[in-house]
Amino acid sequence: MDLDDATTAHLAAVRGRDLAAYLDTVHDDVTVVLPNGRLLRGREDVAAFHRDWFADPDWRMETEVVSTAEAGDTGAVVLRVGYHDVDAAGVPYEKAYLLSLVFARTGGRWRLLHDQNTFC
């Protein structure tokens, strides 16, 4: 599987709210920086967050690849994201941000090592 395929599988798991498929794309030492600055560390912390987020049926996201780079066993993908959701009062809202995904190739597979969400 090349980096593009790994990115596609990762994003498909997110959009499909498929926790098992998502975790199959994630490195054990993963870190995630959420748009609010909260830092998630390690597979269990990231899994717990995604379990709750995936349970919310109201959101959807669109992505567009901005750049992709590989250097040895490290790959980085920057995406532009359009995020659509509803707040606690049921009012729809949208956010635009950049998503940086850093993958490490281990055992012949690309695994997500770092996920950085940055509002534009």
Side-chain angles (χ1 to χ4, degrees), residues 15-84:
R15 285 190 191 101
R17 296 168 170 82
D18 185 335
L19 186 61
Y22 171 81
L23 291 174
D24 189 48
T25 70
V26 172
H27 193 282
D28 287 342
D29 297 323
V30 65
T31 54
V32 175
V33 179
L34 299 175
N36 65 4
R38 179 177 165 204
L39 175 63
L40 307 175
R41 291 182 183 180
R43 187 179 194 80
E44 292 306 314
D45 199 18
V46 169
F49 171 83
H50 282 80
R51 185 176 299 108
D52 291 343
W53 184 41
F54 288 175
D56 177 359
D58 297 324
W59 62 268
R60 67 182 169 82
M61 63 186 277
E62 295 119 17
T63 58
E64 173 190 353
V65 174
V66 174
S67 67
T68 302
E70 288 183 47
D73 289 329
T74 303
V77 181
V78 177
L79 304 115
R80 189 175 330 278
V81 176
Y83 183 79
H84 311 269

